[in-house]
Amino acid sequence: MMSDAVKDKAARSLKKSESLSSLSCHEFRRKGIHGRTKESMSTVSYKDEPSQHEEVSHLTVQLENTYQLRPTKPFPVVTVNYILKDVLTNYLQEEEYEPELCRQMTKTIAEVIKARVKELMIPRYKLVVIIHIGQLNGQSLLIGNRCLWDPESDTVSSYVFRNASLFALANVYAVYLE
């Protein structure tokens, strides 16, 4: 066994090199080659003072729970309807139905609508934008979407656009995050 003075000296020398001895927990003996016992100790590395770079990277803002179960102001359905009408009219007014073009247009229109609604800065709402574009041939079509939500705080905004060759349905679902 190592004497207390030797342990203290080893701990001080290791501390200078930014390591801390953990002799009390991890000191053990093992048999080496030729039947002799060897003493072993493990060390834990640490730093006394973190560098400035580390301090900046570890600074995080910790937000507290607000326990706000209802929105402070209702979702502006009428404003979002105007956005839907404006975007669909601007993008599809002169377009003819072509399947590949319409496939790309649904993605583009959905992103534009989502960005425009996010510009309204409505807090704590998750937005889901769904766009359907189809060809007009005198057929009928029924589109249904189902959601699980709270009718007091969650809502949907919808607009249907038609021109000579295509129709478009845009839905924006606004789900309140508690």
Side-chain angles (χ1 to χ4, degrees), residues 156-167:
V156 64
S157 189
S158 184
Y159 181 75
V160 177
F161 172 83
R162 289 189 185 113
N163 69 10
S165 68
L166 60 83
F167 71 91

Side-chain angles (χ1 to χ4, degrees), residues 33-99:
I33 305 171
H34 307 297
R36 294 183 183 166
T37 59
K38 292 185 177 181
E39 296 207 13
S40 175
M41 69 176 162
S42 63
T43 60
V44 177
S45 297
Y46 77 101
K47 279 188 155 182
D48 284 335
E49 297 177 9
S51 68
Q52 288 182 356
H53 176 70
E54 289 177 3
E55 287 179 14
V56 172
S57 66
H58 291 302
L59 294 178
T60 57
V61 176
Q62 188 170 3
L63 302 175
E64 302 224 356
N65 293 333
T66 61
Y67 302 108
Q68 184 178 346
L69 300 178
R70 297 283 175 242
T72 55
K73 62 180 185 174
F75 188 79
V77 176
V78 175
T79 307
V80 174
N81 281 340
Y82 286 129
I83 291 172
L84 294 176
K85 181 179 179 181
D86 182 47
V87 171
L88 289 178
T89 304
N90 288 338
Y91 275 84
L92 300 175
Q93 185 70 38
E94 303 296 324
E95 293 294 328
E96 295 289 323
Y97 179 78
E98 295 176 24

Side-chain angles (χ1 to χ4, degrees), residues 112-153:
V112 169
I113 289 172
K114 191 173 184 180
R116 294 262 312 262
V117 173
K118 281 187 175 183
E119 286 175 1
L120 297 175
M121 306 269 268
I122 307 159
R124 301 182 76 146
Y125 273 97
K126 179 168 179 82
L127 301 173
V128 179
V129 180
I130 299 176
I131 308 292
H132 298 279
I133 299 177
Q135 185 177 14
L136 278 179
N137 274 342
Q139 77 277 21
S140 65
L141 179 68
L142 179 63
I143 297 173
N145 292 317
R146 294 170 52 162
C147 300
L148 180 62
W149 66 14
D150 181 4
E152 293 178 12
S153 59

